[in-house]
Amino acid sequence: MVHKVLIDEQALGWIKDNQSKVEEDYEIIYKVGTEPAPKQGSGDKTIGRFCEEKCCNLITGDYTAYLDILENSRIHAIQIEKYSADKAERRMYLRHCSVLGRFT
């Protein structure tokens, strides 16, 4: 099981109210804009490369992020699920780490 997650830029406001849930699910939490995670404004390809290199899942409000991530030749498949259970204005999605077609 993956024990690391990256919080995408679109989810930074959401994480403030949901930090405890994410901490229950993950040992290491990276946040876009905080070292060593990608800088704010980084594109989906950069986010995908970071997740591949660190083998971490991604929490994002951008359900189309997988389109650019799939351009990474080492990523052959992406598993996406709804992550937030609340009725937030914007649903959060969890993208599972998968390298060379294997979900971890």
Side-chain angles (χ1 to χ4, degrees):
M1 178 171 168
V2 174
H3 64 278
K4 299 179 273 186
V5 69
L6 173 64
I7 307 300
D8 199 6
E9 190 167 353
Q10 297 89 355
L12 292 175
W14 174 86
I15 190 68
K16 292 177 185 176
D17 295 329
N18 295 278
Q19 183 86 23
S20 60
K21 169 161 178 35
V22 178
E23 288 174 347
E24 288 175 16
D25 295 339
Y26 295 96
E27 294 174 26
I28 299 171
I29 301 170
Y30 300 110
K31 296 177 183 175
V32 168
T34 304
E35 291 288 333
K39 297 177 182 177
Q40 286 192 355
S42 294
D44 292 335
K45 290 179 187 176
T46 301
I47 299 296
R49 188 170 42 254
F50 178 86
C51 289
E52 175 208 345
E53 291 170 358
K54 299 290 186 183
C55 193
C56 64
N57 290 342
L58 172 69
I59 294 177
T60 182
D62 179 5
Y63 64 89
T64 64
Y66 65 88
L67 296 173
D68 286 331
I69 291 171
L70 279 171
E71 289 187 26
N72 181 324
S73 62
R74 290 181 36 90
I75 297 177
H76 294 265
I78 296 176
Q79 179 180 347
I80 301 172
E81 66 183 72
K82 296 174 188 173
Y83 186 73
S84 63
D86 58 13
K87 294 182 181 181
E89 287 182 27
R90 188 169 195 183
R91 180 167 299 281
M92 291 298 123
Y93 297 92
L94 176 67
R95 187 202 59 90
H96 291 273
C97 175
S98 62
V99 177
L100 298 176
R102 291 177 32 200
F103 292 105
T104 54

